[in-house]
C-alpha cells in the first residue's frame, strides 16, 4: 500500500515493537493495526475510518481529547482498501477500537455481517439508537441489535443547471409526468435533458436506487425480508419491473452514447449549460460545483420523482457508519466517544464540514446546505435505503451494474435482467 493512502493523526513512539509490528503488517498486508500495546490503556483510543470521515472528525477528535483527557490515535484509508484490511485485522485481533463499517449487508465488513458474527459491540441501549429513522435503523443492525452509529448520511439527488432552467422557464419537476415533460422541453431546446456518464455502470445504479426508493421500498418496506425468506423475487414484484421500464424511458433522454461517457465528462456538460439535469450522490456535489465558475450557485437539487403523486417521492439515503470493535479492551471508552459524536452540536459540526445530512436528529440547522431543498423529506421520514444495502451479497449489485448496461444497450429486456438478479440474489440466501 502506498503511504499516501494511509494517514496517522498521532504517531506515539513504539520503540522496541518494530519486530512485532512487522509481523502484524505482514498479516494485514499493509496499513494500521492495533498492536495491543494499548491494552488496558484507557488514555488512548484508536480509530480507523475513511478519508471523508477523517475530515469530518478532525475537529471533533481535538474537542474530545480536550474534554476527556484522552489521545485519539486516528488512521484512515480509502473504503476498498480499508475494507480489505479491516477483515484481516478483525480476524487477527488487531483491529482498532472504533472502525468504519458498511451499511446493511453490502460488504464482508458491513454492520449486518459483522453484527451477526458478534464482532461488533451491541450499541442498542445508546440514547442515539432510539433516534434513528427507519431507513437508517435497518442498515445499522444485525436484525436484532443496533451495532453501528451513523456519523452522517449521503443522498441520491438530481441536480439541475439553474441558468438553463431560467432561460427555458422550466419548473422543477415534482412528478414523473412533469419530469418527462421537462426532458421534452430541454430536448426541443437542443439541450441534453439528463447528463449521464454511465461508463463502467457505477452511476447507472443510482438511477435504479432513486426510482426504487419511491416505487419499491416506500410501498413495501419489508420487501427485502420477504425476498430473503424466498417469498418473492425481483421477477415476481411488479414494482421492480416498473423501476427498470422507467429506467429505459429515461435512457431516451440521457447523454448520447452514455454507456461510454465518464461521469465527470457528463457533469462538466451540465456545468457548461449543454445539459439540464443529472443524478448523483450528494458527496459528489462539491466536484460538480467545481466545474462551474459560479460554484454551488450554478445548481440546485431536487428528489427524483418516480410517480405522479408528489407526496409519494422518497429520497434514497446512505448512512456512513462507525462501530465499536467488540474485541477491543476499550469498548466502554469507544462507546463514550460515539455518544460524544451524537451530541447535537457535534452532529451538526460533522454534517456542516462535509456538506452531508446529519446522521441523527433534525436537520433545521442545515438550512444553508446545498441539500436544503430535500431536507423536508428527511425531516418527514420520507427516506429509503439504497436498495443494494439489504441484498445478501455483492454479486447482486455487480449483476445490476453489468446487466443494467446490457439493458440500456438494448441487448436484453427487463424480464431477463430481473431473472439474472434473482439468480445472484438466491446464491446469497442458500
Amino acid at each position: 500500500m502506498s503511504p499516501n493512502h494511509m494517514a496517522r493523526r498521532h504517531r506515539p513512539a513504539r520503540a522496541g515493537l518494530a519486530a512485532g509490528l512487522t509481523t502484524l503488517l505482514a498479516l494485514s498486508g499493509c496499513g494500521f493495526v492495533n498492536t495491543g500495546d494499548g491494552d488496558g490503556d484507557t488514555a488512548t483510543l484508536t480509530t480507523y475510518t475513511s478519508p471523508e470521515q477523517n475530515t469530518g472528525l478532525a475537529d471533533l477528535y481535538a474537542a474530545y481529547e480536550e474534554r476527556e483527557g484522552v489521545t485519539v490515535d486516528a488512521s484512515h484509508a480509502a473504503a476498498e482498501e480499508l475494507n480489505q484490511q479491516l477483515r484481516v485485522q478483525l480476524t487477527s485481533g488487531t483491529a482498532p477500537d472504533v472502525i468504519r463499517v458498511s451499511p446493511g449487508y453490502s460488504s464482508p465488513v458491513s454492520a449486518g455481517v459483522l453484527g451477526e458474527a458478534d464482532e461488533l459491540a451491541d450499541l442498542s441501549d445508546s440514547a442515539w439508537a432510539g433516534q434513528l429513522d427507519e431507513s437508517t435503523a435497518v442498515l445499522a443492525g444485525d436484525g436484532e441489535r443496533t451495532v453501528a452509529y451513523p456519523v452522517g448520511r449521503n443522498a441520491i439527488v438530481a441536480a439541475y443547471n439553474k441558468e438553463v432552467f431560467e432561460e427555458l422557464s422550466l419548473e422543477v419537476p415534482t412528478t414523473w409526468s412533469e419530469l418527462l415533460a421537462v426532458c421534452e422541453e430541454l430536448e426541443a431546446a437542443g439541450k441534453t435533458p439528463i447528463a449521464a456518464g454511465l461508463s463502467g455502470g457505477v452511476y447507472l445504479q443510482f438511477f435504479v436506487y432513486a426510482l426504487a426508493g419511491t416505487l419499491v421500498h416506500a410501498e413495501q418496506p419489508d420487501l427485502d425480508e420477504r425476498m430473503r425468506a424466498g417469498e418473492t423475487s425481483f421477477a415476481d414484484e411488479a414494482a421492480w419491473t416498473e423501476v427498470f421500464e422507467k429506467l429505459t424511458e429515461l435512457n431516451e433522454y440521457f447523454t448520447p452514447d452514455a454507456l461510454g461517457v465518464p461521469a465527470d465528462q457528463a457533469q462538466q456538460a451540465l456545468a457548461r449549460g449543454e445539459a439540464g439535469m443529472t443524478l448523483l450522490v450528494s458527496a459528489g456535489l462539491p466536484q460538480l460545483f467545481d466545474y462551474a465558475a459560479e460554484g454551488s450557485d450554478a445548481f440546485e437539487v431536487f428528489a427524483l420523482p418516480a410517480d405522479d403523486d408528489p407526496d409519494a417521492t422518497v429520497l434514497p439515503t446512505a448512512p456512513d457508519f462507525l462501530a465499536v470493535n467488540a474485541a477491543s479492551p476499550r469498548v466502554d471508552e469507544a462507546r463514550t466517544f460515539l455518544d460524544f459524536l451524537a451530541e447535537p452540536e457535534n452532529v451538526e459540526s460533522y454534517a456542516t464540514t462535509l456538506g452531508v445530512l446529519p446522521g441523527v436528529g433534525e436537520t433545521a440547522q442545515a438550512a444553508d446546505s446545498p441539500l436544503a431543498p430535500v431536507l423536508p423529506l428527511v425531516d418527514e421520514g420520507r427516506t429509503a435505503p439504497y436498495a443494494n444495502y439489504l441484498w445478501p451479497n455483492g454479486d447482486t449489485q455487480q449483476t445490476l451494474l453489468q446487466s443494467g448496461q446490457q439493458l440500456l444497450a438494448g441487448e436484453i429486456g427487463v424480464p431477463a435482467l430481473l431473472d439474472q438478479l434473482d439468480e445472484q440474489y438466491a446464491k446469497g440466501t442458500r
Side-chain angles (χ1 to χ4, degrees), residues 128-141 146 150 153-154 314-319 321 357-363 375 377-385:
W128 51 262
Q131 301 175 32
L132 304 184
D133 66 15
E134 291 183 6
S135 65
T136 301
V138 73
L139 301 176
T146 297
R153 285 179 289 172
N154 272 297
V314 165
L315 185 73
T317 59
F321 285 123
L357 299 170
V360 295
E362 298 292 327
T363 61
L375 294 184
L377 277 71
V378 178
D379 289 339
E380 294 167 16
R382 290 165 57 186
T383 60

Side-chain angles (χ1 to χ4, degrees), residues 80-272:
E80 183 177 357
E81 188 174 352
L82 183 151
N83 289 350
Q84 294 174 351
Q85 294 184 20
L86 193 55
R87 181 61 271 168
V88 175
Q89 292 168 6
L90 288 166
T91 301
S92 61
T94 60
D97 306 315
V98 176
I99 55 179
R100 184 259 190 195
V101 298
S102 308
Y105 295 84
S106 56
S107 83
V109 288
S110 60
V113 172
L114 295 180
E116 289 182 347
D118 290 328
E119 294 187 279
L120 301 180
D122 185 356
L123 308 176
S124 302
D125 61 352
S126 301
W128 51 262
Q131 301 175 32
L132 304 184
D133 66 15
E134 291 183 6
S135 65
T136 301
V138 73
L139 301 176
D142 57 8
E144 296 181 357
R145 309 172 302 164
T146 297
V147 296
Y149 166 72
V151 69
R153 285 179 289 172
N154 272 297
I156 296 175
V157 294
Y160 65 93
N161 185 307
K162 291 167 61 177
E163 184 174 346
V164 170
F165 268 53
E166 289 171 4
E167 286 177 351
L168 301 177
S169 300
L170 299 176
E171 298 290 333
V172 175
T174 62
T175 67
W176 175 253
S177 296
E178 291 176 1
L179 176 65
L180 297 184
V182 167
C183 287
E184 288 288 334
E185 293 194 53
L186 285 164
E187 192 169 60
K191 306 288 186 183
T192 298
I194 301 175
L198 306 183
S199 176
V202 173
Y203 272 75
L204 182 153
Q205 65 182 322
F206 300 138
F207 286 94
V208 175
Y209 303 155
L211 294 170
T214 297
L215 299 175
V216 178
H217 292 96
E219 296 295 326
Q220 305 182 71
D222 65 338
L223 178 63
D224 287 282
E225 183 177 340
R226 292 191 291 116
M227 287 179 68
R228 281 175 175 274
E231 297 173 1
T232 186
S233 68
F234 286 104
D236 288 341
E237 290 297 326
W240 272 115
T241 297
E242 185 177 5
V243 166
F244 288 102
E245 288 180 342
K246 287 188 169 177
L247 175 64
T248 58
E249 283 190 73
L250 290 181
N251 190 35
E252 299 298 319
Y253 302 107
F254 285 169
T255 300
D257 302 318
L259 294 175
V261 176
D264 59 345
Q265 186 174 319
Q267 292 179 4
Q268 290 173 46
L270 178 68
R272 291 193 297 268

Side-chain angles (χ1 to χ4, degrees), residues 20-72:
L21 184 58
T22 299
T23 301
L24 290 169
L25 286 173
L27 281 173
S28 64
C30 56
F32 177 89
V33 290
N34 187 343
T35 60
D37 62 328
D39 287 4
D41 174 13
T42 58
T44 300
L45 190 70
T46 56
T47 69
Y48 193 18
T49 68
S50 69
E52 294 79 11
Q53 289 177 326
N54 190 63
T55 298
L57 291 170
D59 290 343
L60 297 174
Y61 283 145
Y64 186 72
E65 288 176 328
E66 182 176 358
R67 180 198 286 189
E68 299 293 330
V70 302
T71 297
V72 178

